[in-house]
Amino acid sequence: MHNPPDINYPRIIRAGDRAVTVEFSSTIDEVSNRQVLALDTCLSTNPPAGMLETVPTYRSLTVIYDPQVVRGAAMATELGHRAALQASSDTGGRLFEFPILYGGEHAADLDDLARMKDLSVEDIIRLHLEAEYRVYMIGFSPGFAYLGGLPEILHTPRLAVPRQRIEAGAIGIGGQQSSISSLPGPSGWRFIGRTPAKLFDVRRDLPFLLKAGDRIRFRRISEDEANDLDRRVARGDIIVREIAA
Amino acid sequence: MSNTLKILRHGPLMTIQDGGRYGFRAFGVSTSGAIDRASHAIANALVGNDREAATIEFALAGGVIEADEDVVIAVTGGACRIEIDGQSAPPWESHILLKGQKLEIGALRGAVWGYLAISGGISTAPVLGSRSTHLRTGLGGLDGRNLIAGDMLTLGATAALELRTLGLPWFRRPGAIRVVPGPQDNYFDRETWTTFTSAPFTVTTSRDRMAMVLDGPSLTAAKGHDIISDATVVGSIQVPGSGKPIVLSADGQTTGGYPKIATVASVDLARLAQLPSGQQFRFRAISADAAEDLFIDEKRRLDTVLESVCQPGAKRYWT
């Protein structure tokens, strides 16, 4: 009943009677996330009978199946074969440029962060802006993007007491991760800015802007430009640019 | 001209729910849909709808509604006092609600989630392929919110004003709530696992369509209460640092960072969700294979009951 302490990866775990999870690692790292997405691509290209949907996360892929069509034991075997065959790299997602307004009312933690790191606010912004981020997974709420690639110096523990409401578009830091909020909601992460872009808008033909494996660079914008972009987003424009790698 | 249903008085939580929203968990979108799928399907069958058609799900108690055309209605989920213009109308069978008549649905007894199906089904605009309401993100249903007095809902056309009844009874078996160990049962030591599968638990009043917080002995994860966030499913039993297990329900988030000691067997999801707050129950571990067998059997049993729906007075299977 209990899993043995020594674990070999990839590891196949039954998660109830309608899901099987393939774990590639015990850590958050780009290699295992690439394995997750490579397996996901393999499954969507050639779906096993009975597979209903998949949920890629940092270092594991969960497959939800219909036990009336395929039994979990058979699905686990199939996933084991496919996971063993995976090359450790996916095709390396799309690269997007996101406008970001640092500071202001949606950046309640920017000053604190600078104090904690003994850096100037401009240093924090420069460090955040220089990095390229990778979307490790979408989860928690529709379109919410968990990003990897945050420079180590900006890693910061979450707040002890979460805030009740963080607005959509807020750019957060939680531990070694960064995030872009998709909907208003509570959060214990630290926030340094916002993007006018909407990660999730059900009125659009493509409701979700990002998917796991995509990459992001931020472009700093002024308050005026942010306001202008807000108006365009309200009209339904997609203001995020896909750029050549 | 489409028919319209009007909410005259609302219960504590009424939402539009159908068979669920599939294919978007990878984008963080919960499945949603009726919490008690069988009761929802039976309500639909009793009014001649497709089994996944949109119904009104109500928590604890219904309300008062009326329609602007003659329709067929059925209420399921549990025992409940129902009146049409003051005339008693039992649950688990269909009734004709004439234009302008008032349907009053009282409190559920021994259950938490009830279903009101109306012939033609509720035909609000689907969002991402489903009419189900997800309250936290404001998706689906009527503007993504709970229904309140004054709301008007468009209905599909009623094919025929025919009464129907179940030819076979539908019942929920008593007994322990069965769970499949894991996926993070290895975060808990043997003693904690034994406590989990032997001590009584109750569902607290901290419950909604997203999750149920349980009360019982505190469960401590020997390996800590943080995992690298991974996928959750409906029925995942998360154990946060408080030691009080949280069972994710239809509207539960798609990923989570707490260790999941076990996963509720699909066959028992509705039975757990329908337990009144404070009522004791126990967990019993079974294998994933056994849980699948039970789920498949339960689906067959439901199919048989749905096929038994017939006109009142028709020969019943068990007589």
Side-chain angles (χ1 to χ4, degrees):
Chain A
M1 188 170 297
H2 285 248
N3 298 306
D6 52 326
I7 291 167
N8 292 314
Y9 294 99
R11 175 180 174 235
I12 317 287
I13 319 162
R14 305 280 291 274
D17 53 29
R18 284 192 276 179
V20 176
T21 294
V22 184
E23 259 180 28
F24 286 94
S25 158
S26 61
T27 59
I28 296 176
D29 59 82
E30 186 163 339
V31 172
S32 50
N33 190 246
R34 282 177 176 274
Q35 289 174 314
V36 168
L37 298 179
L39 177 59
D40 195 33
T41 303
C42 163
L43 291 170
S44 63
T45 309
N46 183 13
M51 182 176 92
L52 296 177
E53 50 188 314
T54 62
V55 185
T57 60
Y58 288 115
R59 44 87 198 225
S60 68
L61 183 77
T62 294
V63 173
I64 299 174
Y65 62 91
D66 179 356
Q68 294 171 110
V69 179
V70 62
R71 298 301 298 256
M75 180 59 86
T77 306
E78 171 72 16
L79 294 177
H81 290 321
R82 295 213 194 188
L85 293 173
Q86 282 320 300
S88 65
S89 74
D90 60 348
T91 48
R94 306 164 294 178
L95 178 61
F96 289 105
E97 185 188 80
F98 269 71
I100 178 172
L101 170 67
Y102 290 101
E105 60 176 322
H106 299 293
D109 301 296
L110 187 57
D111 291 341
D112 274 356
L113 212 61
R115 258 194 305 278
M116 287 164 70
K117 308 289 182 191
D118 203 18
L119 291 169
S120 69
V121 164
E122 281 303 313
D123 285 338
I124 299 276
I125 292 172
R126 182 180 50 77
L127 286 162
H128 188 262
L129 207 46
E130 276 172 6
E132 182 180 299
Y133 299 86
R134 175 185 166 81
V135 179
Y136 272 85
M137 64 185 226
I138 306 287
F140 178 62
S141 67
F144 184 100
Y146 289 88
L147 310 179
L150 185 72
E152 200 172 336
I153 192 166
L154 296 182
H155 294 186
T156 315
R158 293 167 178 78
L159 295 171
V161 182
R163 291 197 179 89
Q164 278 311 302
R165 187 181 166 97
I166 294 298
E167 297 302 320
I171 309 288
I173 290 174
Q176 53 176 315
Q177 300 303 306
S178 187
S179 66
I180 309 176
S181 298
S182 55
L183 291 167
S187 176
W189 290 34
R190 296 172 193 266
F191 292 88
I192 60 170
R194 74 169 181 103
T195 177
K198 275 186 126 169
L199 291 188
F200 174 61
D201 187 343
V202 75
R203 297 169 305 175
R204 287 194 304 244
D205 289 341
L206 297 169
F208 308 96
L209 270 191
L210 295 172
K211 61 179 185 179
D214 286 340
R215 290 169 299 142
I216 288 172
R217 282 184 200 148
F218 290 111
R219 177 174 66 86
R220 188 176 185 181
I221 57 171
S222 66
E223 185 113 37
D224 284 348
E225 190 178 352
N227 293 337
D228 180 48
L229 290 173
D230 284 339
R231 282 189 286 275
R232 287 180 51 196
V233 168
R235 289 200 305 262
D237 289 4
I238 291 182
I239 56 160
V240 166
R241 273 195 322 137
E242 187 173 346
I243 52 180
Chain B
M1 260 306 270
S2 60
N3 299 354
T4 307
L5 190 76
K6 186 173 184 186
I7 312 285
L8 301 176
R9 200 181 78 213
H10 59 268
L13 177 63
M14 294 170 78
T15 58
I16 296 168
Q17 299 296 339
D18 62 12
R21 185 171 283 115
Y22 292 92
F24 299 100
R25 289 187 80 87
F27 293 102
V29 180
S30 313
T31 309
S32 298
I35 284 189
D36 182 343
R37 297 299 167 99
S39 293
H40 168 85
I42 291 169
N44 273 321
L46 287 170
V47 300
N49 289 349
D50 181 271
R51 67 158 81 176
E52 307 237 302
T55 63
I56 294 177
E57 181 186 83
F58 58 94
L60 303 173
V64 181
I65 63 150
E66 69 176 1
D68 68 353
E69 291 293 334
D70 301 348
V71 292
V72 187
I73 64 101
V75 176
T76 64
C80 186
R81 183 187 55 77
I82 301 157
E83 287 177 4
I84 294 175
D85 272 357
Q87 291 282 95
S88 176
W92 300 94
E93 57 187 79
S94 64
H95 306 281
I96 289 174
L97 181 70
L98 296 173
K99 172 182 177 176
Q101 281 188 322
K102 288 182 176 50
L103 169 67
E104 181 169 3
I105 303 167
L108 290 164
R109 293 188 304 277
V112 175
W113 303 98
Y115 297 87
L116 165 64
I118 306 107
S119 53
I122 294 164
S123 62
T124 45
V127 174
L128 299 176
S130 166
R131 296 189 166 93
S132 288
T133 313
H134 189 259
L135 291 172
R136 202 179 74 79
T137 54
L139 280 188
L142 187 68
D143 305 327
R145 60 172 173 79
N146 54 323
L147 300 175
I148 54 170
D151 283 343
M152 312 273 271
L153 309 176
T154 52
L155 300 172
T158 295
L161 285 179
E162 276 173 14
L163 291 178
R164 292 177 185 77
T165 187
L166 289 176
L168 287 171
W170 177 253
F171 52 88
R172 283 189 283 270
R173 295 182 169 90
I177 299 296
R178 290 156 292 188
V179 296
V180 177
Q184 282 91 33
D185 53 322
N186 60 333
Y187 268 59
F188 301 84
D189 61 25
R190 176 66 60 184
E191 196 182 329
T192 306
W193 178 260
T194 305
T195 303
F196 175 67
T197 49
S198 59
F201 285 89
T202 57
V203 181
T204 68
T205 53
S206 293
R207 67 192 299 175
D208 55 18
R209 286 188 39 88
M210 288 182 69
M212 289 169 272
V213 178
L214 306 184
D215 197 13
S218 187
L219 304 175
T220 302
K223 285 173 70 175
H225 291 270
D226 285 302
I227 63 165
I228 297 171
S229 292
D230 68 3
T232 56
V233 295
V234 177
S236 288
I237 306 178
Q238 300 181 318
V239 183
S242 68
K244 300 294 178 206
I246 298 169
V247 185
L248 294 185
S249 203
D251 282 2
Q253 67 273 20
T254 53
T255 59
Y258 299 126
K260 298 172 278 293
I261 190 169
T263 311
V264 178
S266 297
V267 67
D268 284 343
L269 278 171
R271 202 152 60 82
L272 175 59
Q274 290 284 19
L275 281 181
S277 302
Q279 187 174 318
Q280 286 197 337
F281 69 94
R282 283 181 167 78
F283 287 117
R284 185 159 67 79
I286 58 173
S287 70
D289 294 335
E292 284 178 357
D293 288 339
L294 290 167
F295 173 70
I296 292 164
D297 287 351
E298 181 88 341
K299 277 278 195 184
R300 288 203 188 107
R301 186 166 73 93
L302 176 61
D303 287 344
T304 310
V305 170
L306 291 174
E307 282 158 19
S308 81
V309 168
C310 56
Q311 304 207 328
K315 188 170 167 30
R316 296 185 184 217
Y317 286 61
W318 71 80
T319 53

